[in-house]
Amino acid sequence: MKHLNKITAAVLMMFIAFFSLSTLMKMKSAESMKITLQSFIDGSFINQLNTFTADYFKARNILISVETRIKSAIGESLVNGVYISESRLIKANVSSRGNTDNSADVLNEFAEKYEGAVYLVSVPTSSGVYGDMLPSYLLGKTEKQQINSLYEKLNSGIRKIDAYNILKMLSDNYIYYRSDTKWTSYGAFCVYRTVIQKLGFMPLSYDKYSIQHVTNNYRGNLYSETQYMESNGDLLDIYEYDGGAEIKSCIGYDNNGISFHSSLYDKEAIKSGDMYRLYLGKKYPLVKISTDVNNDKKLLVVGDDFASCFIPFLTQHYSEIAFISPECMEKNLRSFLNPNDYGQTLFLLGIDSLSNNILENF
């Protein structure tokens, strides 16, 4: 066995040396690229740069794949901080990366100045729900503990909504991707049923939705970190409510206030390297969605990727929804809109985002 380990280590080192040398040669090649005014004008420099970048990441992915295969062969299940189980990939020690003090301060300050009702849903990652599948030596502070700690720091003006226990109770269902830290559309729907009641509406029935499986070959952020070829592809779904409200417009705004046509679902994203952009398409700091719901109710949503596939469920209840993505903001919130124009604000963010200060520029 010791013999095998030595051989394996030697092979791994050879691969690392080979790909390091290849990358270095490509970088030397990149250094020799001609940077001229004409190359910028005719686009040739950008084409050269794109080719170099693509080659670099291909080499990276091959190297990670080789490392994963070798580790699997010798019974090692941890690659780049991701634990490979029989049924899914799980990020280890996610909740040890930061704390929620800054996010709690931002939320409390917002609620003090805001004239409407504030709601918070802190969503666990797949690690938070399936963390009990990790070996004990990989366990840190649980996401449940982290969410509870955050909620305790918030003032009484913020209405805290529990997503963790809902998701944990349904963990035998397909509520999280096997190759990603995010929830599936079904996972989002399960939490929607509780959230929408807190917001003052009756949830819509699951059997009234038409569900389209757009692809069964989605491979998420945990696959990217491991290149684990044995993991099954995941489903990306579109939920459409039969006979329900129609979308009148969906407009994205960049940091300069320039508007772009957007949509709840961008099927072209399936052909790209970022399939998850199926939900709401290209990222903008602000997306405004107008519907034909005749109730004049307006909702402000502040969210991350967890919110992207959640928002379509909300469109059946509001005449207007403004979706703010803090990670895309280069200016503060009030540079994009006046929060008091909206009667309710829903913060829907992953606990990993909240613990890593996603609201820093808020």
Side-chain angles (χ1 to χ4, degrees):
M1 186 64 184
K2 289 183 178 179
H3 238 17
L4 178 60
N5 288 343
K6 287 181 179 179
I7 294 172
T8 301
V11 171
L12 179 58
M13 291 304 295
M14 288 173 60
F15 271 107
I16 292 173
F18 171 76
F19 284 109
S20 296
L21 181 61
S22 298
T23 300
L24 181 61
M25 291 175 64
K26 284 180 167 47
M27 291 178 71
K28 291 292 185 183
S29 174
E31 289 173 2
S32 67
M33 290 190 299
K34 294 181 180 179
I35 305 174
T36 65
L37 178 61
Q38 183 60 37
S39 69
F40 277 103
I41 293 173
D42 63 22
S44 61
F45 173 73
I46 299 300
N47 290 335
Q48 293 177 68
L49 187 60
N50 286 340
T51 299
F52 166 70
T53 302
D55 287 343
Y56 178 86
F57 282 106
K58 283 179 185 176
R60 167 198 173 273
N61 291 343
I62 292 172
L63 180 57
I64 293 174
S65 178
V66 169
E67 179 187 0
T68 300
R69 285 177 179 272
I70 291 173
K71 286 191 172 184
S72 295
I74 62 174
E76 173 61 59
S77 299
L78 189 67
V79 179
N80 287 338
V82 178
Y83 181 74
I84 300 173
S85 76
E86 292 184 2
S87 58
R88 64 174 53 251
L89 304 176
I90 308 171
K91 189 74 173 177
N93 290 322
V94 172
S95 59
S96 64
R97 293 183 177 177
N99 63 64
T100 57
D101 291 350
N102 290 333
S103 292
D105 291 342
V106 172
L107 291 164
N108 285 332
E109 183 179 354
F110 176 86
E112 288 173 5
K113 297 178 180 178
Y114 181 59
E115 296 173 1
V118 182
Y119 305 81
L120 170 64
V121 184
S122 180
V123 186
T125 68
S126 57
S127 300
V129 172
Y130 298 100
D132 51 8
M133 296 174 66
L134 293 170
S136 58
Y137 72 91
L138 293 177
L139 295 175
K141 183 179 180 181
T142 68
E143 291 189 10
K144 181 180 181 181
Q145 291 172 321
Q146 201 167 22
I147 292 170
N148 290 342
S149 176
L150 168 63
Y151 282 9
E152 288 170 1
K153 297 169 188 172
L154 301 178
N155 66 38
S156 58
I158 300 175
R159 305 173 193 192
K160 285 78 74 174
I161 302 175
D162 174 33
Y164 177 86
N165 286 308
I166 296 170
L167 294 164
K168 187 64 176 177
M169 182 176 62
L170 297 170
S171 60
D172 289 339
N173 296 277
Y174 189 55
I175 57 171
Y176 281 90
Y177 300 115
R178 293 180 291 264
S179 64
D180 201 301
T181 54
K182 297 184 288 292
W183 59 14
T184 62
S185 290
Y186 180 65
F189 174 81
C190 292
V191 174
Y192 148 81
R193 290 181 297 194
T194 294
V195 171
I196 204 65
Q197 291 183 73
K198 299 291 185 181
L199 291 170
F201 299 92
M202 288 295 295
L204 300 180
S205 175
Y206 181 78
D207 60 12
K208 294 296 179 68
Y209 283 93
S210 295
I211 303 171
Q212 179 185 356
H213 302 312
V214 181
T215 181
N216 63 357
N217 198 35
Y218 171 62
R219 297 182 186 274
N221 53 19
L222 300 179
Y223 171 80
S224 178
E225 293 182 34
T226 61
Q227 297 296 309
Y228 182 58
M229 303 303 293
E230 302 303 317
S231 63
N232 295 320
D234 277 301
L235 291 169
L236 292 182
D237 294 334
I238 288 178
Y239 279 57
E240 294 184 335
Y241 190 72
D242 296 334
E246 299 290 333
I247 303 299
K248 292 166 61 177
S249 65
C250 186
I251 309 295
Y253 297 84
D254 68 13
N255 281 287
N256 296 314
I258 299 173
S259 62
F260 300 86
H261 174 73
S262 189
S263 61
L264 289 186
Y265 298 107
D266 179 7
K267 291 184 180 180
E268 291 300 309
I270 299 301
K271 304 173 186 176
S272 74
D274 187 7
M275 289 188 183
Y276 197 75
R277 294 278 66 80
L278 168 70
Y279 304 111
L280 294 185
K282 181 181 176 181
K283 284 189 174 183
Y284 294 102
L286 169 63
V287 176
K288 285 189 174 181
I289 303 162
S290 176
T291 76
D292 63 3
V293 175
N294 189 25
N295 63 6
D296 295 324
K297 290 187 179 293
K298 299 168 67 175
L299 175 69
L300 172 60
V301 179
V302 180
D304 55 11
D305 281 340
F306 281 100
S308 297
C309 67
F310 189 92
I311 283 179
F313 298 115
L314 299 172
T315 58
Q316 296 299 314
H317 304 278
Y318 291 90
S319 63
E320 182 181 320
I321 296 172
F323 175 45
I324 288 285
S325 298
E327 62 185 318
C328 299
M329 291 169 53
E330 296 176 1
K331 305 174 182 178
N332 64 43
L333 173 66
R334 287 163 182 79
S335 299
F336 296 97
L337 50 75
N338 180 1
N340 290 321
D341 289 340
Y342 299 83
Q344 296 170 306
T345 294
L346 171 66
F347 288 87
L348 196 152
L349 297 150
I351 186 59
D352 55 341
S353 294
L354 289 164
S355 63
N356 286 290
N357 207 16
I358 194 175
L359 299 175
E360 182 178 11
N361 298 322
F362 197 71

